[in-house]
Amino acid sequence: MLGDDAELTAAVHAAQDGDETAFRTVYRAVHPRLLGYVRTLVGDPDAEDVASEAWLQIARDLDRFSGDADRFRGWAARIARNRALDHIRMRGRRPAVGGDETELAARPAESDTAVEAMEALATDGAFSLIAQLPQDQAEAVVLRVVVGLDAKSAAETLGKRPGAVRTAAHRGLKRLAELLAGDPESPGGLDALPPQRQPRGRAVTSAGVTDTRARTQKDM
């Protein structure tokens, strides 16, 4: 995984110039998060196939892309979502959250109480909890946490307004906090967090969605 967005941006640009090693670097950095998002939409065992189709399109259309690491993640997420929706239409299946929590565990953390709570979720079956959310909330949470999109990019991916995505993510986080607090499989629930990581408000934090661009209080 790349150390920071500057490195990912450089790798994307190098891949656009035909550097196969750079493209493999981009794939390794982005794929785990993208796969987690696809699993939110189609569940297992189809997620791997749908993600592969998305990467084929990403590789084919890469020369049309313009922007930095953040824009690339949003662009890749939109492609993955379109492929997932095509798959759902073909199979006549409703979207379903599925998979394991490895994609969340691999998400780089920042110093924010929401992020810290998500770390606890990552070790306690985050996706099994996310699966209990309404689809719009689950998708908003995964886009902002796993993929790492800000509200604007997530809204573009979903075809919604940023305010609607913030609201869905906020409600999803609140519900995840309640689920985590009452989950008997999660030792101590919210109380299991170290003192310095105690959420400021049980509602948003324990869901801890990740990088809600690490501005949970400001964005929501």
Side-chain angles (χ1 to χ4, degrees):
M1 182 172 294
L2 295 182
D4 55 42
D5 281 0
E7 292 179 46
L8 178 56
T9 298
V12 168
H13 292 166
Q16 288 179 303
D17 291 334
D19 187 329
E20 294 183 5
T21 299
F23 185 83
R24 286 194 293 271
T25 299
V26 172
Y27 176 87
R28 287 195 298 269
V30 176
H31 178 67
R33 308 176 198 179
L34 206 62
L35 179 59
Y37 179 45
V38 172
R39 279 185 170 138
T40 301
L41 294 169
V42 303
D44 284 326
D46 300 325
E48 291 280 1
D49 289 341
V50 173
S52 295
E53 292 173 7
W55 277 106
L56 286 174
Q57 182 176 344
I58 290 168
R60 185 181 69 240
D61 296 345
L62 187 60
D63 60 341
R64 303 179 187 177
F65 170 76
S66 177
D68 58 9
D70 273 340
R71 289 185 63 84
F72 180 80
R73 281 190 287 263
W75 180 70
R78 286 192 293 277
I79 289 175
R81 187 173 196 268
N82 288 337
R83 296 288 69 75
L85 294 180
D86 287 345
H87 176 82
I88 291 166
R89 282 190 288 268
M90 263 192 336
R91 300 292 183 184
R93 294 170 55 185
R94 298 178 62 187
V97 178
D100 59 36
E101 65 273 13
T102 54
E103 290 82 12
L104 289 181
R107 183 80 181 101
E110 296 184 26
S111 180
D112 182 87
T113 52
V115 178
E116 322 251 342
M118 201 60 192
E119 291 174 355
L121 276 173
T123 62
D124 289 313
F127 273 105
S128 65
L129 296 180
I130 292 174
Q132 300 178 48
L133 299 177
Q135 184 63 30
D136 64 329
Q137 295 177 17
E139 201 168 349
V141 165
V142 173
L143 273 177
R144 302 210 59 193
V145 179
V146 180
V147 183
L149 302 185
D150 59 20
K152 181 179 178 181
S153 296
E156 291 173 353
T157 299
L158 297 173
K160 298 181 177 180
R161 294 182 178 181
V165 173
R166 291 190 188 98
T167 298
H170 175 77
R171 289 174 177 170
L173 291 178
K174 181 177 180 180
R175 179 57 182 153
L176 282 175
E178 294 167 352
L179 291 171
L180 181 60
D183 185 359
E185 299 299 322
S186 176
L190 291 178
D191 295 333
L193 294 174
Q196 70 272 24
R197 295 185 175 185
Q198 281 291 357
R200 285 187 293 269
R202 179 170 291 192
V204 174
T205 55
S206 142
V209 152
T210 116
D211 177 19
T212 0
R213 283 293 100 182
R215 293 195 299 264
T216 311
Q217 297 294 335
K218 180 178 180 180
D219 264 359
M220 295 182 178

